[in-house]
Amino acid sequence: MCTNHSTHAASGVHMHDFSLKDAESNMKSLEHELHCPVCKDIVKQPVVLPCQHSVCLMCASEVLVANGYPPPELPPEPNSPASTPNTRSPRQARPHPPSPSMPRSPGYGTYPGRRRKEGPPLVMMFPCIPCGRDVELGDKGLTDCLRNLTLERIVERYRHTVSLGSVAVMCQFCKPPQTLEATKGCADCRANFCNECFKLYHPWGTPRAQHEHIQPTLNFRPKVLTCPEHDQEKLQFYCRSCQRLLCPLCKLRRCHTGHKILPVAQAYQALKEKITKEMNYILSNQDTVLAQITQLESGITQTEVNSVSAREQLAQSIRDLTAALAERHASLTQALEAARQKRGEALAAQVAERRGLMEHAGLMAFTQELLKETDQPCFVQAARQTHNRLSKAIENLQHFTLAADPSFRHFQLDVSKELKLLTELNFIQAPQAPVIDTQRTLAYDQLFLCWRLPQESAPAWHFSVEYRRRGVVPGGASRGGIRGGLEMDSVYVLRVRGCNKAGYGEYSEEVYLHTPPAPVLNFYLDSRWGLHADRLVVSKEQRCARSVPGLSLLQAADHALTSCHLTSDLLVGDVAITQGRHYWACSVEPGSYLVKVGVGLESKLQEWFHLPQDMASPRYDPDSGHDSGAEDALDSAPPFCFLTMGMGKIYLPQHNYHHHGSHGNSARDPITNGNGPSSPSGLTYPLPPRLGVCLDFEKGRVTFYDAHSLRPLWEGHVDCSGPVCPAFCFIGGGALQLQELVANRNADQTPVRRVTIQPRVSNLNSN
């Protein structure tokens, strides 16, 4: 700003005033960066917390004492060279060791007969205001916090620039009353001098003449940073893992083993280059900064205008509620008054009727006069009505009830629900972050994302789903995508948020979906190859099969004494693969006894169907009766490749199939017979919710995956000299379900709410 000021000074008074005002504004902006977050004043003796924020040493001490920690021993505030501690480190002064004549406090020391102090050291926690959380200082507290000498120098330059130091720094060696203002300070003598005194105390040709002179100051700082643990050891290294400065002795500690430690010069250069690059980036984008400032100022104006409008709408809503309540109050009052009048009239009529029964009044007087009649025909004619009235009066006397209920119990208002609604009356809220259903969310032929809103969330009018492919910069160019087709064997990151009248709510947690390694193959179960209808049931959609051993199993078990497997039923897909890579998935019911999933040559599968024995193993060479693997070693690749699942487990052979491998049987003969498993070595894992199968026809390779996470489970080889079909084998009871295409599922379901799908766009401009 000084350069601008000198440049525009000749242009006129107006430009000169503008530069001064601009400089003053910038200085005020800089002053905000120098404030202590605790006292809100310019920092004094700042120390760096582990979170990299700086606070005044005294402020930090007061905060710790206010939180119940013992007061640390601090040096006096440096208002003169005499009171400034001659510390050997930029950290605050450490307490001096007790002299031999002073008694030691109990509980410390290791002399004979005294036990060490028990209990773990007290770990101090400092509530950092900028972080909004507690920062661990360790058991040494502020002793482990370095003074921020760089910040002190910036404050010193700032004070000299804006002339905040209202009290002049006087020479400490002039004799009063002719004390002059200091013009220099000596960092080695830690004192301030005028010109004459500086020459007197730093004569030419003496070692003092080599002292470093600085601007006059009331706060003399250490010249270099030294280690607080090792006396006079300079901090020459920087640990990137711990983000701490180290001395050569600290570097040798075991706690830094394996850490990336750099010389402090290298760390200085790297950090300075990064900061310079970041500063240059911001300076080169000043137009963007100004545009954003304009947008923010417009936002502030709109906030004020919209808040006034919202306040008026709030008042109008309350007035509407008050008017509706007053109208309802008048209506209910009118109904209450009508009921009171009707009940009063009924009770008054009942009172008049009872008074007529009194002697010499009403009905009784009339009856007495009637009884005086001697003309019999006339008496009979007139007495019939009186008799009816007297009978009714007697009945009412015997069964007396009030003609109306005077309690008005049912006219009491239950306003608990309305009061709760009024208590919870609030502004409309945006929907909360949706909760992703990870069990139903999957990646197959398409991505299927399932979510729900929390129970206490406001409703959403529509949802916005954002996605990106991991490894691709948001907003950058990428091949494919959800709209242009899924990239195979890629991880997509998705998140969703709801929207209503209040605007968009928070995003859900990100979910990572791994797409299949090959195009999805859609097929159905083929029931034409000699299906055992009494043991195997295929659903109408031909995507689900269940093995139900029935009467045939019971009859066979009557003649068997040793074998544990009496039936094995094979089921194949209705497609034959002749080229390319294909992927499909299925789920096996955990309660199944034994189910095998894999592939096989179509011709060999047909041979297996037509074998007369149920227990034949799917080999294409005669079995010698043992599982040595000698026969299999002669073959290039087996015609079948299966993985076995059952009883909630999946069996993975220990070795994959390789040509001329010693464990070829593990991939060649997956069907277990009476002689036991073909490979005695292997591992069992919990059955995954869905099993994925990927066939590479050209390479003759089959890979099995945990379809939920796309984690490879096992890999084997298969003979692909002819068409290959998906195959499934059931031994005992079990059930299997083919994975339905997401496209078919979406066609059957009509979305209740509108959903917008869009790629995630970065808010930063990449240069």
Side-chain angles (χ1 to χ4, degrees):
M1 296 311 297
C2 296
T3 304
N4 295 336
H5 173 68
S6 61
T7 303
H8 298 295
S11 301
V13 179
H14 298 290
M15 189 62 69
H16 178 76
D17 294 340
F18 173 77
S19 299
L20 288 177
K21 190 179 297 183
D22 197 20
E24 183 179 356
S25 175
N26 289 342
M27 281 301 172
K28 289 296 182 182
S29 178
L30 174 61
E31 181 181 345
H32 178 73
E33 298 291 333
L34 306 179
H35 279 177
C36 169
V38 178
C39 65
K40 308 301 181 184
D41 199 359
I42 295 181
V43 290
K44 298 178 181 178
Q45 287 185 285
V47 293
V48 183
L49 300 175
C51 60
Q52 305 303 313
H53 290 116
S54 297
V55 295
C56 299
L57 180 60
M58 292 300 299
C59 294
S61 174
E62 293 173 359
V63 169
L64 289 178
V65 172
N67 282 271
Y69 295 107
E73 296 187 18
L74 302 176
E77 187 174 352
N79 51 15
S80 69
S83 65
T84 302
N86 188 13
T87 55
R88 4 177 211 97
S89 166
R91 305 170 190 258
Q92 65 274 10
R94 294 184 297 276
H96 297 284
S99 60
S101 60
M102 296 177 60
R104 297 196 178 192
S105 59
Y108 296 89
T110 56
Y111 6 77
R114 185 178 297 276
R115 299 177 60 187
R116 292 182 179 270
K117 186 178 180 181
E118 297 180 356
L122 179 64
V123 178
M124 294 187 181
M125 303 296 294
F126 185 87
C128 179
I129 296 177
C131 292
R133 61 181 179 88
D134 291 342
V135 178
E136 183 177 338
L137 298 181
D139 56 336
K140 298 180 182 178
L142 294 176
T143 307
D144 249 356
C145 296
L146 287 168
R147 277 178 63 178
N148 195 337
L149 298 184
T150 302
L151 182 57
E152 290 189 32
R153 296 188 184 101
I154 296 175
V155 170
E156 192 76 19
R157 291 195 296 268
Y158 172 75
R159 288 182 181 276
H160 282 286
T161 302
V162 298
S163 301
L164 289 181
S166 57
V167 179
V169 180
M170 307 306 292
C171 177
Q172 298 174 246
F173 296 90
C174 290
K175 295 182 180 180
Q178 290 86 13
T179 303
L180 301 178
E181 185 175 350
T183 58
K184 294 181 182 179
C186 180
D188 296 277
C189 299
R190 306 178 68 82
N192 297 304
F193 300 87
C194 63
N195 286 333
E196 296 300 326
C197 291
F198 188 83
K199 294 177 182 178
L200 179 64
Y201 285 92
H202 297 79
W204 185 259
T206 63
R208 288 195 176 188
Q210 307 298 323
H211 286 188
E212 179 185 0
H213 62 86
I214 59 176
Q215 293 287 338
T217 180
L218 296 177
N219 184 14
F220 286 93
R221 297 175 296 275
K223 297 178 67 175
V224 294
L225 291 171
T226 56
C227 181
E229 302 293 334
H230 306 98
D231 193 16
Q232 298 299 325
E233 289 290 339
K234 294 183 179 180
L235 300 172
Q236 301 177 358
F237 300 95
Y238 178 73
C239 178
R240 293 185 60 182
S241 304
C242 302
Q243 296 186 355
R244 292 177 63 94
L245 291 168
L246 306 176
C247 72
L249 298 180
C250 291
K251 178 186 175 184
L252 302 177
R253 288 183 172 177
R254 286 185 297 177
C255 60
H256 297 290
T257 303
H259 289 187
K260 190 169 185 179
I261 299 177
L262 305 175
V264 71
Q266 184 178 348
Y268 163 82
Q269 189 64 30
L271 190 56
K272 193 169 186 179
E273 290 177 358
K274 288 182 179 179
I275 293 177
T276 303
K277 184 178 179 180
E278 293 166 351
M279 184 184 67
N280 291 336
Y281 175 84
I282 294 176
L283 293 177
S284 63
N285 287 273
Q286 290 297 292
D287 293 340
T288 303
V289 175
L290 292 175
Q292 292 179 0
I293 291 175
T294 304
Q295 185 177 356
L296 290 173
E297 291 175 346
S298 175
I300 293 175
T301 305
Q302 292 178 4
T303 299
E304 295 298 327
V305 174
N306 293 335
S307 65
V308 173
S309 175
R311 192 179 297 111
E312 293 176 354
Q313 292 180 3
L314 173 62
Q316 183 61 39
S317 298
I318 298 299
R319 285 195 296 268
D320 293 343
L321 285 176
T322 305
L325 193 61
E327 181 181 354
R328 190 61 178 163
H329 175 246
S331 175
L332 293 176
T333 302
Q334 183 179 359
L336 179 63
E337 181 63 23
R340 182 200 63 79
Q341 184 176 0
K342 183 178 180 180
R343 293 186 182 192
E345 292 176 355
L347 292 174
Q350 197 174 17
V351 169
E353 182 183 352
R354 290 300 184 272
R355 285 178 178 174
L357 299 180
M358 298 292 293
E359 187 177 3
H360 308 299
L363 180 61
M364 291 297 99
F366 179 78
T367 304
Q368 291 174 2
E369 293 297 327
L370 178 65
L371 292 175
K372 295 178 182 180
E373 178 65 44
T374 58
D375 188 348
Q376 294 180 356
C378 293
F379 178 82
V380 172
Q381 180 183 5
R384 178 56 58 185
Q385 182 180 6
T386 304
H387 170 68
N388 292 337
R389 292 179 63 189
L390 289 174
S391 299
K392 186 175 180 181
I394 293 173
E395 183 179 358
N396 290 337
L397 284 175
Q398 294 176 349
H399 304 89
F400 174 73
T401 57
L402 295 177
D405 184 8
S407 64
F408 279 76
R409 285 189 298 267
H410 61 287
F411 279 88
Q412 300 293 327
L413 284 180
D414 181 11
V415 295
S416 57
K417 183 178 179 181
E418 288 74 13
L419 286 176
K420 183 179 179 181
L421 291 175
L422 288 174
T423 304
E424 297 175 353
L425 187 65
N426 203 346
F427 300 106
I428 57 176
Q429 302 290 328
Q432 296 184 13
V435 179
I436 304 296
D437 188 349
T438 56
Q439 298 299 321
R440 299 178 59 188
T441 297
L442 58 92
Y444 200 47
D445 57 310
Q446 296 178 6
L447 300 183
F448 183 77
L449 186 63
C450 183
W451 68 85
R452 60 174 176 83
L453 285 175
Q455 187 175 2
E456 63 277 6
S457 171
W461 293 355
H462 74 274
F463 294 92
S464 174
V465 178
E466 296 183 2
Y467 69 92
R468 65 176 175 87
R469 191 159 60 92
R470 194 166 68 174
V472 177
V473 179
S478 62
R479 297 182 298 108
I482 291 187
R483 296 188 184 276
L486 293 176
E487 290 284 342
M488 295 296 102
D489 200 13
S490 299
V491 176
Y492 285 85
V493 186
L494 297 95
R495 62 182 184 178
V496 61
R497 60 175 176 171
C499 178
N500 58 15
K501 189 177 181 180
Y504 281 99
E506 297 181 355
Y507 283 103
S508 66
E509 293 185 357
E510 291 184 337
V511 60
Y512 294 79
L513 297 181
H514 197 153
T515 56
V520 173
L521 178 68
N522 184 34
F523 63 91
Y524 299 91
L525 298 175
D526 194 348
S527 59
R528 294 174 299 172
W529 287 10
L531 181 70
H532 295 282
D534 58 336
R535 298 200 303 255
L536 208 58
V537 179
V538 179
S539 65
K540 182 180 179 181
E541 298 80 12
Q542 292 185 298
R543 303 194 68 88
C544 178
R546 177 175 295 275
S547 175
V548 186
L551 186 61
S552 59
L553 176 62
L554 181 64
Q555 294 173 349
D558 184 56
H559 303 286
L561 296 176
T562 59
S563 177
C564 60
H565 305 312
L566 302 176
T567 60
S568 60
D569 299 310
L570 191 65
L571 201 61
V572 298
D574 62 350
V575 296
I577 302 171
T578 57
Q579 62 178 356
R581 299 176 69 243
H582 303 275
Y583 175 86
W584 62 92
C586 64
S587 58
V588 175
E589 188 177 281
S592 302
Y593 184 62
L594 284 180
V595 178
K596 295 178 178 293
V597 177
V599 296
L601 274 175
E602 184 179 24
S603 58
K604 296 298 179 179
L605 290 173
Q606 290 179 350
E607 291 180 7
W608 187 18
F609 267 116
H610 292 89
L611 288 177
Q613 299 90 357
D614 276 347
M615 282 306 304
S617 178
R619 290 178 173 271
Y620 62 96
D621 288 333
D623 195 354
S624 61
H626 59 84
D627 292 320
S628 63
E631 301 151 346
D632 300 325
L634 301 176
D635 303 320
S636 59
F640 307 103
C641 186
F642 289 91
L643 270 191
T644 304
M645 288 151 282
M647 296 167 283
K649 301 288 185 180
I650 182 171
Y651 176 77
L652 304 178
Q654 190 171 1
H655 295 282
N656 296 352
Y657 172 79
H658 298 286
H659 296 298
H660 308 292
S662 59
H663 294 276
N665 273 346
S666 62
R668 295 175 49 103
D669 190 6
I671 301 299
T672 307
N673 53 33
N675 296 329
S678 59
S679 177
S681 60
L683 300 174
T684 58
Y685 290 95
L687 180 66
R690 293 181 294 120
L691 181 71
V693 183
C694 181
L695 171 64
D696 191 332
F697 188 86
E698 281 71 21
K699 294 183 179 180
R701 184 173 60 195
V702 183
T703 307
F704 296 88
Y705 294 87
D706 178 350
H708 184 71
S709 61
L710 259 293
R711 178 175 61 91
L713 298 176
W714 190 79
E715 183 179 289
H717 286 256
V718 66
D719 183 7
C720 292
S721 58
V724 177
C725 296
F728 312 92
C729 179
F730 294 88
I731 301 177
L736 177 139
Q737 173 77 47
L738 293 180
Q739 179 67 53
E740 185 181 7
L741 293 181
V742 176
N744 295 343
R745 181 185 306 184
N746 293 339
D748 297 337
Q749 298 178 356
T750 303
V752 180
R753 296 182 179 90
R754 177 186 173 192
V755 177
T756 304
I757 302 176
Q758 58 186 7
R760 188 183 306 183
V761 180
S762 174
N763 294 327
L764 298 177
N765 296 327
S766 55
N767 287 345

